[in-house]
Coordinates of all heavy atoms in Angstrom, one line a residue:
L138 N -10.0 32.7 147.3 CA -8.5 32.5 147.4 C -8.0 31.9 146.1 O -7.0 32.2 145.5 CB -8.2 31.6 148.5 CG -8.4 32.2 150.0 CD1 -8.0 31.1 151.0 CD2 -7.5 33.4 150.2
L139 N -8.8 30.9 145.5 CA -8.4 30.2 144.3 C -8.3 31.2 143.2 O -7.3 31.3 142.4 CB -9.4 29.1 144.0 CG -9.1 28.4 142.7 CD1 -8.1 27.3 142.9 CD2 -10.4 27.9 142.0
C140 N -9.4 32.0 142.9 CA -9.4 32.9 141.8 C -8.4 34.0 141.9 O -7.8 34.5 140.9 CB -10.8 33.4 141.6 SG -12.0 32.1 141.2
A141 N -8.2 34.6 143.1 CA -7.3 35.6 143.3 C -5.8 35.1 143.1 O -5.0 35.8 142.5 CB -7.4 36.2 144.8
S142 N -5.6 33.9 143.5 CA -4.2 33.3 143.3 C -4.0 33.1 141.8 O -2.9 33.3 141.3 CB -4.1 31.9 144.1 OG -4.2 32.1 145.4
G143 N -5.1 32.6 141.1 CA -4.9 32.5 139.7 C -4.6 33.8 139.0 O -3.7 33.8 138.1
R144 N -5.2 34.8 139.4 CA -4.9 36.1 138.8 C -3.5 36.6 139.1 O -2.8 37.1 138.3 CB -6.0 37.2 139.2 CG -5.8 38.6 138.6 CD -5.9 38.6 137.1 NE -7.2 38.2 136.7 CZ -8.2 39.1 136.5 NH1 -7.9 40.4 136.6 NH2 -9.4 38.8 136.1
L145 N -3.1 36.4 140.4 CA -1.8 36.8 140.9 C -0.7 36.1 140.1 O 0.3 36.7 139.7 CB -1.7 36.5 142.4 CG -0.4 36.9 143.1 CD1 -0.1 38.4 143.0 CD2 -0.4 36.4 144.5
F146 N -0.8 34.8 139.9 CA 0.3 34.0 139.3 C 0.1 33.7 137.8 O 0.9 33.0 137.2 CB 0.4 32.7 140.0 CG 0.8 32.8 141.5 CD1 0.0 32.4 142.5 CD2 2.0 33.4 141.8 CE1 0.3 32.5 143.8 CE2 2.4 33.6 143.2 CZ 1.5 33.1 144.2
G147 N -1.0 34.3 137.2 CA -1.2 34.1 135.8 C -1.6 32.7 135.4 O -1.5 32.3 134.3
T148 N -2.2 32.0 136.4 CA -2.8 30.7 136.1 C -4.3 30.8 135.8 O -5.0 31.2 136.7 CB -2.6 29.7 137.3 OG1 -1.2 29.6 137.6 CG2 -3.2 28.3 137.0
P149 N -4.7 30.5 134.6 CA -6.1 30.7 134.3 C -7.0 29.8 135.1 O -6.8 28.6 135.2 CB -6.2 30.4 132.8 CG -5.0 29.6 132.5 CD -4.0 30.0 133.4
V150 N -8.1 30.3 135.7 CA -9.0 29.6 136.5 C -10.3 29.6 135.7 O -10.8 30.6 135.3 CB -9.3 30.2 137.9 CG1 -10.4 29.5 138.6 CG2 -8.0 30.1 138.7
A151 N -10.9 28.4 135.5 CA -12.1 28.3 134.7 C -13.3 27.8 135.6 O -13.2 26.7 136.2 CB -11.9 27.3 133.5
L152 N -14.3 28.5 135.6 CA -15.6 28.1 136.3 C -16.5 27.5 135.2 O -17.0 28.3 134.4 CB -16.3 29.3 137.0 CG -15.4 30.2 137.9 CD1 -16.2 31.3 138.5 CD2 -14.7 29.3 139.0
V153 N -16.6 26.2 135.1 CA -17.1 25.5 134.0 C -18.5 25.0 134.3 O -18.7 24.1 135.2 CB -16.2 24.4 133.5 CG1 -16.8 23.7 132.3 CG2 -14.8 24.9 133.2
G154 N -19.5 25.5 133.6 CA -20.9 25.0 133.8 C -21.4 25.1 135.2 O -22.1 24.2 135.7
V155 N -21.1 26.2 135.9 CA -21.4 26.4 137.3 C -22.8 27.0 137.5 O -23.4 27.5 136.6 CB -20.4 27.3 138.0 CG1 -19.0 26.7 138.0 CG2 -20.4 28.7 137.4
G156 N -23.4 26.8 138.7 CA -24.6 27.3 139.0 C -24.4 28.6 139.8 O -23.5 28.7 140.6
A157 N -25.3 29.6 139.7 CA -25.2 30.8 140.4 C -26.6 31.3 140.7 O -27.6 31.0 140.1 CB -24.5 31.9 139.6
A158 N -26.7 32.1 141.8 CA -28.0 32.7 142.2 C -27.6 34.0 142.9 O -26.6 34.2 143.5 CB -28.8 31.8 143.1
E159 N -28.5 35.0 142.7 CA -28.2 36.3 143.4 C -28.2 36.1 144.9 O -29.1 35.5 145.5 CB -29.3 37.4 143.0 CG -28.8 38.8 143.3 CD -29.6 39.8 142.6 OE1 -30.5 39.5 141.8 OE2 -29.4 41.0 142.9
I160 N -27.2 36.7 145.5 CA -26.9 36.5 147.0 C -27.2 37.8 147.7 O -26.7 38.9 147.2 CB -25.5 36.0 147.2 CG1 -25.3 34.6 146.5 CG2 -25.2 35.9 148.7 CD1 -23.9 34.2 146.5
H161 N -27.9 37.8 148.8 CA -28.2 39.0 149.5 C -27.3 39.3 150.7 O -27.1 40.5 151.0 CB -29.7 38.9 150.0 CG -30.7 38.7 148.9 ND1 -30.9 39.7 148.0 CD2 -31.4 37.6 148.6 CE1 -31.8 39.2 147.1 NE2 -32.1 38.0 147.5
D162 N -26.7 38.3 151.3 CA -25.7 38.5 152.4 C -24.5 39.2 151.8 O -23.8 38.7 150.9 CB -25.3 37.1 153.0 CG -24.3 37.2 154.0 OD1 -24.6 37.7 155.1 OD2 -23.1 36.8 153.8
R163 N -24.2 40.3 152.3 CA -23.2 41.2 151.7 C -21.8 40.6 151.7 O -21.1 40.6 150.6 CB -23.2 42.6 152.4 CG -24.4 43.4 152.1 CD -24.4 44.7 152.8 NE -23.4 45.6 152.2 CZ -23.2 46.9 152.6 NH1 -23.9 47.4 153.6 NH2 -22.3 47.6 152.0
P164 N -21.3 40.0 152.8 CA -19.9 39.4 152.6 C -19.9 38.3 151.6 O -18.9 38.2 150.8 CB -19.6 38.9 154.1 CG -20.5 39.7 154.9 CD -21.8 40.0 154.1
T165 N -20.9 37.4 151.6 CA -20.9 36.3 150.7 C -21.0 36.8 149.3 O -20.3 36.3 148.4 CB -22.1 35.3 151.0 OG1 -22.0 34.9 152.4 CG2 -22.0 34.1 150.1
R166 N -21.9 37.8 149.1 CA -22.1 38.4 147.7 C -20.7 39.0 147.2 O -20.4 38.8 146.1 CB -23.1 39.5 147.8 CG -23.5 40.2 146.5 CD -24.4 41.3 146.8 NE -24.8 42.1 145.6 CZ -25.9 41.9 144.9 NH1 -26.7 40.9 145.2 NH2 -26.1 42.6 143.8
A167 N -20.0 39.7 148.1 CA -18.8 40.3 147.6 C -17.7 39.2 147.3 O -17.0 39.4 146.2 CB -18.2 41.2 148.8
L168 N -17.6 38.2 148.1 CA -16.6 37.1 147.8 C -17.0 36.4 146.5 O -16.1 36.1 145.6 CB -16.6 36.1 148.9 CG -15.9 36.6 150.2 CD1 -16.2 35.7 151.4 CD2 -14.4 36.7 150.0
V169 N -18.2 36.1 146.3 CA -18.7 35.4 145.1 C -18.5 36.3 143.8 O -18.0 35.9 142.8 CB -20.1 35.0 145.2 CG1 -20.7 34.6 143.8 CG2 -20.2 33.8 146.2
R170 N -18.8 37.6 144.0 CA -18.7 38.5 142.8 C -17.2 38.6 142.4 O -16.9 38.6 141.2 CB -19.2 39.9 143.2 CG -19.1 40.9 142.1 CD -19.8 42.2 142.4 NE -19.2 42.9 143.5 CZ -19.8 43.1 144.7 NH1 -21.1 42.8 144.8 NH2 -19.2 43.8 145.7
W171 N -16.3 38.8 143.4 CA -14.9 38.9 143.1 C -14.3 37.6 142.5 O -13.5 37.7 141.6 CB -14.1 39.5 144.3 CG -14.2 40.9 144.4 CD1 -14.9 41.7 145.2 CD2 -13.5 41.9 143.5 NE1 -14.8 43.0 145.0 CE2 -13.9 43.2 143.9 CE3 -12.7 41.7 142.4 CZ2 -13.5 44.3 143.3 CZ3 -12.2 42.9 141.7 CH2 -12.6 44.1 142.2
S172 N -14.8 36.5 143.0 CA -14.3 35.2 142.5 C -14.6 35.1 141.0 O -13.8 34.8 140.2 CB -14.9 34.1 143.2 OG -14.6 34.1 144.6
A173 N -15.9 35.5 140.7 CA -16.3 35.4 139.3 C -15.5 36.4 138.4 O -15.1 36.1 137.3 CB -17.8 35.7 139.1
R174 N -15.3 37.6 138.9 CA -14.6 38.6 138.1 C -13.1 38.2 137.9 O -12.5 38.5 136.8 CB -14.6 39.9 138.9 CG -15.9 40.7 138.8 CD -15.9 41.9 139.7 NE -17.0 42.8 139.5 CZ -17.3 43.8 140.2 NH1 -16.5 44.2 141.2 NH2 -18.4 44.5 140.0
L175 N -12.5 37.5 138.8 CA -11.1 37.1 138.7 C -10.9 35.9 137.9 O -9.7 35.6 137.5 CB -10.5 36.9 140.1 CG -10.4 38.2 141.0 CD1 -10.1 37.9 142.4 CD2 -9.3 39.1 140.4
A176 N -11.9 35.1 137.6 CA -11.8 33.9 136.8 C -11.5 34.3 135.4 O -12.0 35.2 134.8 CB -13.0 33.1 136.9
K177 N -10.7 33.4 134.7 CA -10.3 33.6 133.3 C -11.5 33.3 132.4 O -11.7 33.9 131.4 CB -9.1 32.8 133.0 CG -8.8 32.6 131.5 CD -8.1 33.7 130.9 CE -7.7 33.4 129.5 NZ -7.1 34.6 128.8
Y178 N -12.2 32.2 132.8 CA -13.3 31.7 131.9 C -14.5 31.3 132.8 O -14.3 30.8 133.9 CB -12.8 30.4 131.2 CG -13.9 29.7 130.4 CD1 -14.1 30.0 129.1 CD2 -14.7 28.7 131.0 CE1 -15.1 29.3 128.3 CE2 -15.6 28.0 130.3 CZ -15.8 28.4 128.9 OH -16.8 27.7 128.2
R179 N -15.7 31.7 132.3 CA -16.9 31.3 133.0 C -17.9 30.8 132.0 O -18.1 31.4 131.0 CB -17.5 32.6 133.7 CG -16.7 33.2 134.8 CD -17.4 34.4 135.4 NE -17.6 35.5 134.4 CZ -16.8 36.4 134.1 NH1 -15.6 36.5 134.8 NH2 -17.0 37.3 133.2
S180 N -18.6 29.7 132.4 CA -19.8 29.3 131.7 C -20.8 28.8 132.8 O -20.4 28.5 133.9 CB -19.5 28.2 130.7 OG -19.1 27.0 131.3
Y181 N -22.1 28.8 132.4 CA -23.1 28.5 133.4 C -24.0 27.4 133.0 O -24.1 27.1 131.8 CB -24.0 29.8 133.7 CG -23.2 31.0 134.0 CD1 -22.8 31.9 133.0 CD2 -22.7 31.2 135.3 CE1 -22.0 33.1 133.3 CE2 -21.9 32.3 135.6 CZ -21.6 33.2 134.6 OH -20.8 34.3 135.0
R182 N -24.7 26.8 133.9 CA -25.6 25.7 133.6 C -27.0 26.1 133.2 O -27.8 25.2 132.9 CB -25.6 24.6 134.7 CG -26.2 25.1 136.0 CD -25.9 24.1 137.1 NE -26.4 24.5 138.4 CZ -26.1 23.9 139.6 NH1 -25.3 22.8 139.5 NH2 -26.6 24.3 140.7
D183 N -27.3 27.4 133.4 CA -28.7 27.9 133.0 C -28.6 29.4 132.8 O -27.7 30.0 133.3 CB -29.8 27.4 133.9 CG -29.5 27.7 135.4 OD1 -29.0 28.9 135.7 OD2 -29.7 26.9 136.2
D184 N -29.6 29.9 132.1 CA -29.7 31.4 132.0 C -29.8 32.1 133.3 O -29.3 33.2 133.4 CB -30.9 31.7 131.0 CG -30.6 31.3 129.6 OD1 -29.5 31.6 129.1 OD2 -31.5 30.7 129.0
L185 N -30.5 31.5 134.2 CA -30.7 32.2 135.5 C -29.4 32.5 136.2 O -29.2 33.5 136.8 CB -31.6 31.3 136.4 CG -33.1 31.2 136.1 CD1 -33.7 30.1 137.0 CD2 -33.8 32.6 136.4
S186 N -28.5 31.5 136.1 CA -27.2 31.7 136.7 C -26.4 32.9 136.1 O -25.9 33.7 136.8 CB -26.3 30.4 136.6 OG -26.9 29.4 137.3
R187 N -26.4 33.0 134.8 CA -25.7 34.1 134.1 C -26.4 35.4 134.5 O -25.7 36.4 134.7 CB -25.7 33.9 132.6 CG -25.0 35.0 131.8 CD -24.8 34.7 130.4 NE -26.0 34.4 129.7 CZ -26.1 34.1 128.4 NH1 -24.9 33.9 127.7 NH2 -27.2 33.9 127.8
D188 N -27.7 35.4 134.5 CA -28.5 36.6 134.8 C -28.2 37.1 136.3 O -28.0 38.3 136.6 CB -30.0 36.4 134.7 CG -30.4 36.2 133.2 OD1 -29.6 36.5 132.3 OD2 -31.5 35.7 133.0
A189 N -28.0 36.1 137.2 CA -27.7 36.4 138.6 C -26.4 37.1 138.7 O -26.2 38.1 139.4 CB -27.8 35.1 139.4
M190 N -25.4 36.6 138.0 CA -24.0 37.2 138.1 C -24.0 38.6 137.4 O -23.4 39.5 137.9 CB -23.0 36.3 137.4 CG -22.8 34.9 138.1 SD -22.7 35.0 139.9 CE -21.2 36.0 140.0

Side-chain angles (χ1 to χ4, degrees):
L138 290 179
L139 177 84
C140 296
S142 298
R144 181 63 65 93
L145 179 64
F146 297 118
T148 301
V150 174
L152 309 180
V153 183
V155 298
E159 194 165 356
I160 297 168
H161 302 294
D162 177 71
R163 291 181 68 180
T165 306
R166 181 185 178 98
L168 287 167
V169 165
R170 180 174 63 242
W171 276 106
S172 296
R174 285 176 173 172
L175 291 168
K177 164 78 172 178
Y178 175 90
R179 296 180 298 269
S180 65
Y181 307 98
R182 63 188 179 192
D183 51 45
D184 289 312
L185 285 172
S186 296
R187 182 169 60 183
D188 293 345
M190 295 315 296

